[in-house]
C-alpha cells in the first residue's frame, strides 16, 4: 500500500499553498488518504475546510471521519438541504448554477476566516455534464475562489481523459500535484 511521501507533502508549508491546485490521482492507489491528510493539515492550521464529494466515493468515506470538516454531498436532488448530519448538506450534482451559488456563499461567509475547499471529482463532472459545460463551471469556480484567503484542491483521475483535454483542465489551476504509487509529487508550483 503506498504511503504519502511526507517530505514532499511537508515541503510546502500551508502558508505556501495558494490558489487552486489540481490533484491528478491514480485511481488504482489510495489517493483519498492524501486528501484526508490535506484536510487535516488545513484544519490544524486554522482553516475552515469544505469538501464537495459524492456519497460512496472513497474520498467521502474518509472525509466523513475528519472532525469539523463540512461536507457538501453531490446528489441528484434539485436543491440544497441539510442531511441528518449537520456537517453535511446535500447539493445538486447537475445544476451548476446552484452549485456556483453554494460555493460563493460558502467562501463569502466569514470573509476574514481562512478556508480550504476540496472538490472531488472533476473526472465524473466531465463525464456526466460534458467537457464544455464542466470547463465553464470550473473556470467560474476558480474565479469565485480567487477572492479571499482560500486554498483549494480539485481531484481529477489520471488517464481518465485524453492529453488535450487534460492540458486544458491543468491550465485552469495555479498548481498541479500528482499522486501515484510512489506518493505525492508537485508538478507545477504556484
Amino acid at each position: 500500500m503506498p504511503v504519502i511521501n511526507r517530505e514532499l507533502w511537508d515541503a510546502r508549508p500551508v502558508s505556501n499553498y495558494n490558489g487552486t491546485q489540481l490533484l491528478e490521482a491514480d485511481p488504482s492507489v489510495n489517493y483519498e488518504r492524501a486528501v484526508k491528510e490535506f484536510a487535516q493539515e488545513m484544519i490544524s492550521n486554522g482553516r475552515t475546510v469544505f469538501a464537495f464529494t459524492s456519497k460512496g466515493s472513497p474520498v467521502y468515506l474518509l472525509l466523513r471521519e475528519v472532525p469539523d470538516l463540512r461536507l457538501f454531498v453531490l446528489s441528484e436532488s434539485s436543491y440544497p438541504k441539510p442531511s441528518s448530519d449537520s456537517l453535511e448538506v446535500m447539493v445538486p450534482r447537475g445544476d451548476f448554477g446552484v452549485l456556483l451559488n453554494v460555493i460563493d456563499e460558502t467562501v463569502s461567509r466569514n470573509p476574514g476566516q481562512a478556508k480550504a475547499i476540496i472538490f472531488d471529482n472533476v473526472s465524473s463532472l466531465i463525464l456526466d455534464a460534458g467537457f464544455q459545460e464542466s470547463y465553464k463551471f470550473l473556470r467560474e469556480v476558480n474565479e469565485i475562489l480567487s477572492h479571499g484567503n482560500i486554498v483549494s484542491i480539485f481531484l481529477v483521475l489520471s488517464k481518465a481523459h485524453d492529453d488535450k483535454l487534460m492540458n486544458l483542465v491543468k491550465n485552469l489551476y495555479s498548481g498541479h500535484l500528482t499522486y501515484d504509487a510512489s506518493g505525492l509529487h508537485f508538478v507545477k508550483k504556484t
Side-chain angles (χ1 to χ4, degrees):
M1 185 178 309
V3 175
I4 293 176
N5 185 333
R6 293 302 306 174
E7 288 178 10
L8 285 173
W9 191 258
D10 294 336
R12 296 188 64 193
V14 173
S15 60
N16 287 343
Y17 281 96
N18 292 311
T20 56
Q21 308 287 319
L22 183 67
L23 174 56
E24 187 177 353
D26 180 344
S28 68
V29 298
N30 294 331
Y31 66 90
E32 60 275 7
R33 289 177 44 227
V35 176
K36 181 179 178 182
E37 286 192 22
F38 172 83
Q40 290 170 322
E41 181 180 351
M42 294 292 127
I43 289 170
S44 71
N45 284 282
R47 289 185 181 272
T48 302
V49 179
F50 303 92
F52 290 80
T53 186
S54 300
K55 266 200 176 165
S57 158
V59 170
Y60 169 82
L61 296 173
L62 278 183
L63 291 182
R64 285 182 56 200
E65 302 171 356
V66 178
D68 300 323
L69 184 133
R70 300 294 194 131
L71 285 168
F72 288 93
V73 180
L74 303 173
S75 72
E76 301 307 318
S77 66
S78 59
Y79 57 93
K81 61 181 178 185
S83 70
S84 58
D85 181 347
S86 63
L87 293 177
E88 288 187 21
V89 175
M90 305 295 278
V91 294
R93 153 182 260 106
D95 190 333
F96 290 156
V98 172
L99 271 173
L100 286 170
N101 285 337
V102 168
I103 293 168
D104 189 39
E105 288 173 14
T106 299
V107 299
S108 298
R109 194 173 303 128
N110 301 322
Q113 173 64 42
K115 298 174 183 82
I117 304 285
I118 298 166
F119 195 94
D120 168 39
N121 169 329
V122 171
S123 294
S124 291
L125 187 76
I126 292 169
L127 294 173
D128 290 345
F131 178 72
Q132 288 184 334
E133 287 300 311
S134 299
Y135 184 85
K136 180 181 173 190
F137 167 74
L138 293 169
R139 194 176 63 229
E140 290 176 32
V141 170
N142 279 314
E143 174 61 28
I144 291 169
L145 299 180
S146 69
H147 306 289
N149 186 358
I150 303 165
V151 174
S152 60
I153 59 170
F154 286 72
L155 284 95
V156 67
L157 299 178
S158 61
K159 301 185 181 26
H161 312 286
D162 65 43
D163 290 343
K164 180 180 176 185
L165 188 144
M166 278 301 294
N167 286 332
L168 290 169
V169 171
K170 288 175 189 175
N171 286 331
L172 287 171
Y173 300 93
S174 57
H176 179 210
L177 310 156
T178 61
Y179 188 80
D180 58 23
S182 63
L184 184 69
H185 308 280
F186 293 96
V187 179
K188 175 178 142 185
K189 298 178 183 178
T190 50

